[in-house]
C-alpha cells in the first residue's frame, strides 16, 4: 500500500527527454567543427537537469568524451554501465585518487597541490586560467608546471582552458584568452608531443572558431544556444504534469498566498501537483503559461511549494496533461528571461526526484 502511494506521488510530474532532439543537436554541433575535432558532451548536474544516465546512454555512441563536475557524478555513470571516457572538471582530492584509477577517469589538474598528489597511473589534462577566474594554473606558471612534470616523469594527455564570455559572439575577452592560451599549449605540445587541446564550451563552439581538437558542449546538446542566436537547435526536454483538481471560480475571487491574482471573470481554477519544490521558480508567479489540450492556460496566483494554479474558461478533466515546459508551452529560455537568469539554471532546477523518461 505504501509502495503504491509513493509511486503515485513520484508521478506528479515527469520529464521527457527526446533522443532524436539530442541526436539532431549533436549533428548540428558536429557540422560546426571539422571531422577530426572530438566532441565532449558535458553531462554534469544531472545532465543540466535532463537525467545524466539516460542522456549519456542515449548519446554515448555520438560523442567522444563525457564531462562531469565531480567524481560522484562520474561514478553514477560507470555504475550504470557507461564506459565512455569521462573527464572530471573538479580538482583532484587525495581521498578520491584511487577512484580515478579504478574507473579510468581522466582528471583535470589546475594547481601544484594536485600535481603533488598524482602519479603516472592517472590520465590527466592540465587546466590554465586564462581569464575565467575559477580553476586552473595561471599562464605565468606554465614553465614551472612543465618543469615539474618533466622532473616527475608525468605526461599530460591534454591541456585546456575555459572562456568567461563566449556566450557573447565576438567578445574581445575571448580573443584575449585565446591569445594567452596559445602560448601555454604550444609550449606543452613542444615538450610532450601533441596533446588533446580544448577550450570551447557551447558559446565558443557555436560563435567562435577555436575548436582545437576537442570542444566541450553542454547547453547546446540540450537544444539551446547560450547566445540565443542559433535557433535550429531543438530543445530536448518536455516537462509535464496532470491536473489534480479543477473547480469553478467566480469573478473577483483571489487565488493562492498573498492573493496576488483575482479572477476577472467566472471560470475554472485548475491545480497541478507541482510547485517551487519541484523547480518552478516562485518569482515566475502569474507570468507563466502552460499548455493543456490545445490551449495555453494562464498560471495564476503565487506558485506554492507543491501546487501551482492555472485559470481556464472551461472545465478541465481531472488527469488531463499539462505541459509545464516544452514545445507547446514556454521554453526554459523564456522562463529564464522572466526570472533574470540563464536557461542553465532553469533546467538544472528541475528536481532530481522527478522521473526522467527517454522518448523517441
Ligand atoms: C559546464 C562546462 C562546460 C559546458 O558549458 P556549456 O556552456 O554548457 O556548453 C564546458 N567546460 C567546462 C569546464 C564547464 O564547466
Amino acid at each position: 500500500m505504501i509502495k503504491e502511494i509513493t509511486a503515485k506521488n513520484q508521478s506528479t510530474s515527469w520529464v521527457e527527454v527526446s533522443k532524436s532532439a539530442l541526436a539532431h543537436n549533436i549533428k548540428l554541433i558536429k557540422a560546426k567543427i571539422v571531422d577530426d575535432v572530438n566532441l565532449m558532451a558535458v553531462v554534469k548536474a544531472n545532465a543540466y537537469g535532463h537525467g545524466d544516465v539516460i542522456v549519456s546512454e542515449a548519446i554515448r555512441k555520438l560523442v567522444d568524451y563525457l564531462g562531469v563536475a565531480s567524481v560522484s557524478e562520474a561514478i553514477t555513470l560507470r555504475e550504470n554501465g557507461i564506459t565512455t571516457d569521462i573527464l572530471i572538471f573538479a580538482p583532484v582530492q587525495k581521498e578520491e585518487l584511487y577512484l580515478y584509477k579504478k574507473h579510468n577517469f581522466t582528471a583535470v589538474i589546475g594547481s601544484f597541490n594536485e600535481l603533488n598528489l598524482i602519479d603516472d597511473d592517472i590520465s590527466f589534462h592540465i587546466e590554465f586560467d586564462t581569464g575565467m577566474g575559477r580553476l586552473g594554473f595561471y599562464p605565468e606558471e606554465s614553465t614551472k608546471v612543465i618543469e615539474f612534470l618533466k622532473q616527475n616523469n608525468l605526461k599530460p594527455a591534454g591541456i585546456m582552458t575555459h572562456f568567461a564570455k563566449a556566450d557573447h559572439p565576438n567578445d574581445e575577452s575571448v580573443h584575449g584568452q585565446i591569445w594567452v592560451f596559445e602560448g601555454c599549449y604550444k609550449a606543452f605540445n613542444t615538450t610532450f608531443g601533441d596533446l588533446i587541446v580544448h577550450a570551447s564550451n557551447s558559446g565558443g563552439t557555436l560563435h567562435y572558431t577555436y575548436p582545437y581538437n576537442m570542444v566541450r558542449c553542454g547547453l547546446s546538446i540540450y537544444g539551446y544556444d547560450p547566445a540565443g542566436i542559433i535557433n535550429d537547435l531543438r530543445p530536448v526536454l518536455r516537462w509535464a504534469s496532470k491536473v489534480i483538481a479543477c473547480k469553478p471560480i467566480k469573478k473577483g475571487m483571489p487565488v493562492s498566498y498573498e492573493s496576488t491574482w483575482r479572477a476577472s471573470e467566472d471560470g475554472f481554477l485548475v491545480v497541478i501537483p507541482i510547485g517551487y519544490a519541484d523547480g518552478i521558480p516562485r518569482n515566475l508567479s502569474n507570468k507563466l503559461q502552460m499548455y493543456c489540450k490545445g490551449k495555453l492556460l494562464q498560471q495564476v496566483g503565487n506558485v506554492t511549494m507543491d501546487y501551482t494554479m492555472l485559470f481556464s474558461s472551461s472545465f478541465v478533466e481531472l488527469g488531463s496533461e499539462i505541459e509545464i515546459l516544452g514545445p507547446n508551452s514556454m521554453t526554459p529560455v523564456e522562463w529564464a528571461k522572466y526570472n533574470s537568469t540563464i536557461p542553465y539554471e532553469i533546467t538544472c532546477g528541475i528536481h532530481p526526484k522527478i522521473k526522467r523518461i527517454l522518448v523517441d
Side-chain angles (χ1 to χ4, degrees):
M1 186 62 190
I2 287 173
K3 247 192 181 157
E4 204 172 294
I5 292 167
T6 309
K8 273 187 186 161
N9 279 344
Q10 280 175 346
S11 62
T12 53
S13 81
W14 63 96
V15 172
E16 293 171 13
V17 171
S18 163
K19 203 174 168 174
S20 61
L22 284 166
H24 167 89
N25 298 332
I26 288 171
K27 201 170 153 194
L28 207 141
I29 293 162
K30 282 186 171 171
K32 295 261 170 204
I33 54 181
V34 289
D35 278 352
D36 57 349
V37 175
N38 285 330
L39 174 60
M40 170 188 293
V42 179
V43 295
K44 65 194 182 195
N46 199 24
Y48 295 37
H50 292 66
D52 50 6
V53 174
I54 63 166
V55 166
S56 301
E57 241 158 38
I59 65 175
R60 76 198 150 84
K61 291 197 177 120
L62 307 174
V63 302
D64 306 290
Y65 253 103
L66 295 171
V68 297
S70 68
V71 170
S72 72
E73 290 179 344
I75 287 176
T76 300
L77 297 181
R78 284 285 185 269
E79 282 177 346
N80 284 278
I82 310 289
T83 54
T84 313
D85 284 337
I86 300 176
L87 186 73
I88 302 174
F89 300 146
V92 169
Q93 316 264 335
K94 193 172 183 184
E95 318 77 64
E96 293 176 338
L97 270 179
Y98 76 99
L99 293 165
Y100 286 78
K101 298 183 189 180
K102 182 173 166 199
H103 296 286
N104 202 13
F105 298 145
T106 303
V108 174
I109 303 291
S111 68
F112 284 101
N113 177 44
E114 294 163 72
L115 271 185
N116 278 304
L117 292 177
I118 57 166
D119 54 51
D120 60 4
D121 264 0
I122 286 181
S123 165
F124 65 96
H125 293 197
I126 295 285
E127 178 170 15
F128 279 97
D129 186 347
T130 58
M132 171 63 189
R134 193 169 67 175
L135 299 167
F137 292 102
Y138 286 116
E140 305 84 82
E141 297 175 292
S142 170
T143 316
K144 257 175 77 187
V145 175
I146 290 174
E147 278 315 305
F148 184 100
L149 291 169
K150 282 203 297 198
Q151 270 162 25
N152 292 277
N153 267 329
L154 293 167
K155 184 183 178 309
I159 176 167
M160 65 181 274
T161 192
H162 193 45
F163 297 134
K165 294 171 78 176
D167 296 356
H168 309 277
N170 212 16
D171 194 280
E172 253 334 284
S173 77
V174 176
H175 298 295
Q177 284 193 254
I178 284 292
W179 192 80
V180 173
F181 184 53
E182 303 262 320
C184 301
Y185 87 76
K186 281 178 182 159
F188 272 72
N189 273 354
T190 307
T191 315
F192 300 105
D194 286 345
L195 305 180
I196 305 174
V197 181
H198 49 114
S200 286
N201 52 6
S202 293
T205 306
L206 298 175
H207 302 295
Y208 292 84
T209 50
Y210 305 102
Y212 300 108
N213 43 29
M214 183 161 80
V215 295
R216 308 183 303 264
C217 290
L219 195 74
S220 50
I221 300 252
Y222 307 108
Y224 314 97
D225 170 13
I229 295 167
I230 294 172
N231 47 28
D232 45 359
L233 289 163
R234 208 186 289 159
V236 164
L237 161 158
R238 196 179 87 95
W239 186 12
S241 180
K242 283 181 181 167
V243 173
I244 53 152
C246 178
K247 62 186 190 185
I249 180 169
K250 292 251 173 267
K251 181 176 176 176
M253 281 169 75
V255 170
S256 193
Y257 292 119
E258 312 301 330
S259 309
T260 58
W261 186 89
R262 280 173 194 274
S264 59
E265 57 183 304
D266 291 357
F268 292 85
L269 188 66
V270 176
V271 186
I272 54 173
I274 62 161
Y276 58 77
D278 301 272
I280 303 181
R282 185 175 177 277
N283 266 341
L284 297 183
S285 297
N286 290 306
K287 293 179 180 162
L288 302 175
Q289 296 193 316
M290 294 179 189
Y291 178 85
C292 178
K293 293 190 164 165
K295 277 193 279 194
L296 277 174
L297 302 182
Q298 179 62 42
Q299 185 276 312
V300 296
N302 278 345
V303 172
T304 71
M305 193 182 289
D306 303 292
Y307 302 102
T308 297
M309 279 64 81
L310 307 153
F311 178 80
S312 172
S313 52
S314 55
F315 180 76
V316 180
E317 295 282 331
L318 296 192
S320 300
E321 187 178 296
I322 300 274
E323 186 176 289
I324 302 158
L325 275 173
N328 301 305
S329 46
M330 291 168 74
T331 67
V333 174
E334 291 171 299
W335 278 30
K337 220 171 263 168
Y338 281 125
N339 206 20
S340 311
T341 185
I342 50 178
Y344 299 75
E345 194 179 348
I346 300 295
T347 63
C348 285
I350 303 174
H351 200 285
K353 79 180 178 194
I354 296 166
K355 197 174 176 135
R356 271 72 173 169
I357 307 162
L358 199 62
V359 296
D360 63 21

